[in-house]
Every structure is written in C-alpha cells, then in structure tokens.
Amino acid sequence: MQFEERRSIIVEEQREQYLLGRNGGNEMNFETVLLYNFDEGEKARKIKMVLLKMKVKIKKVSKEQYLEPIGFLAGNKEIPSSGDIYEGEGFPEEMLVMKGFTSSRIDLLLKEFRKAGIAKVNLKAIVAEYNQKWTSLELYHELQEEHAKMNPKQTL
C-alpha cells in the first residue's frame, strides 16, 4: 500500500471516529454541550434534536453537580471531580456550555437553533483553559455579570 493511500485511510478513519463521537475513550476532543435548567418542554426537545443531528454529546447538569469543575462535567479526564454535592438553591436561568467546538461549528449550532425556532439562551459559554476549573456557580455568576454589562436594560 502506498504512503498516500495509507495516509488517506488513516485520515478517513480519524474523521469517522470523530463523527461517531469515539476517540479511544478520551473525551477531551468531543463536542459536548452542558445543559442547565432546561425543563422537558418544547425548547429542550428542540435543542436536543439539533444537538443530536449535529452529533454533539449532551449532558444535562443537575443542581447537585454545581460544585463540580466545568471541565470535569464536560468530560475532560485531566480535571478531577471535586466530590462535593451542592445543596443550595441553585439558579433559575437556562445556561448552555459548549466544549470542543470550533468557531464555525458554534456558528452552525446557533444557525440551527434559529432555524428550529429555538428561543434565545442568554447564558452561553465555551469551556476554555481559563474557566475549566470553575464551578457551575462561578461560571453562572460570571455570565450573569457579563450579560448585565452587555444588556443593561434587559433582566434575566
């Protein structure tokens, strides 16, 4: 087998593994969305349909998990669990956190949301190096402040 042919087969296998959501058990590179406070209504159903269509891993985060690091919740094996269980009130707003997305895939996701008639989710974030050790509560407060600064006349 020629080098170029072998390289082409390997690239295609890697592409298929990515599209199927498999990469040898290491979930760091998966596209994953963490969903907070989405009831089981029409909006949640539409969001899940778009994510499934795009082959994105979905994780619904419960209030008890709010003290876990965002990176851990999103599947980063290098970020350990805190082991803490949150027992407070939590927060009422919907929040959507994306991991492993390129900017073009984020654009596509938002376009698909609009096409599906999904109402805007005000609190959205991307898991990044600087925030992957934050808890859900820390991320929520940061997004809430950011949203208030960018939309001074709108309340959540």
Side-chain angles (χ1 to χ4, degrees):
M1 188 179 300
Q2 300 257 338
F3 174 76
E4 281 302 312
E5 185 179 347
R6 203 172 37 217
R7 183 176 166 273
S8 176
I9 290 170
I10 290 169
V11 168
E12 185 60 29
E13 285 174 355
Q14 289 173 338
R15 181 180 171 277
E16 285 177 18
Q17 287 177 350
Y18 174 78
L19 291 173
L20 292 172
R22 288 190 247 135
N23 62 354
N26 180 358
E27 297 182 16
M28 275 185 63
N29 298 322
F30 279 88
E31 288 179 333
T32 303
V33 167
L34 305 178
L35 297 175
Y36 294 80
N37 299 322
F38 287 90
D39 61 17
E40 295 304 317
E42 186 69 11
K43 183 176 185 179
R45 188 186 67 73
K46 286 180 177 181
I47 287 173
K48 288 176 185 174
M49 291 300 292
V50 167
L51 295 172
L52 289 172
K53 176 181 164 189
M54 292 181 63
K55 298 182 177 17
V56 173
K57 183 177 178 183
I58 303 166
K59 176 156 185 175
K60 186 174 178 182
V61 180
S62 69
K63 180 181 73 155
E64 292 76 21
Q65 296 174 300
Y66 285 3
L67 295 178
E68 292 289 0
I70 296 291
F72 171 79
L73 292 172
N76 185 340
K77 302 288 188 210
E78 296 176 7
I79 306 292
S81 167
S82 70
D84 297 328
I85 297 173
Y86 183 69
E87 296 177 5
E89 287 297 313
F91 52 88
E93 292 86 13
E94 298 167 337
M95 186 166 78
L96 187 146
V97 181
M98 299 165 274
K99 183 196 67 85
F101 283 74
T102 62
S103 60
S104 62
R105 287 285 286 177
I106 292 170
D107 291 344
L108 177 62
L109 176 67
L110 298 176
K111 179 182 174 187
E112 290 295 324
F113 277 13
R114 285 189 299 274
K115 198 160 92 175
I118 298 169
K120 185 176 179 182
V121 178
N122 289 320
L123 302 180
K124 292 184 286 295
I126 297 170
V127 177
E129 189 68 34
Y130 72 90
N131 69 7
Q132 65 181 340
K133 293 182 180 176
W134 293 3
T135 67
S136 298
L137 295 170
E138 290 169 323
L139 181 61
Y140 166 74
H141 291 299
E142 180 70 22
L143 290 175
Q144 199 176 35
E145 284 179 26
E146 190 177 288
H147 183 79
K149 287 177 186 172
M150 294 174 64
N151 304 282
K153 295 180 182 178
Q154 183 183 6
T155 59
L156 291 176

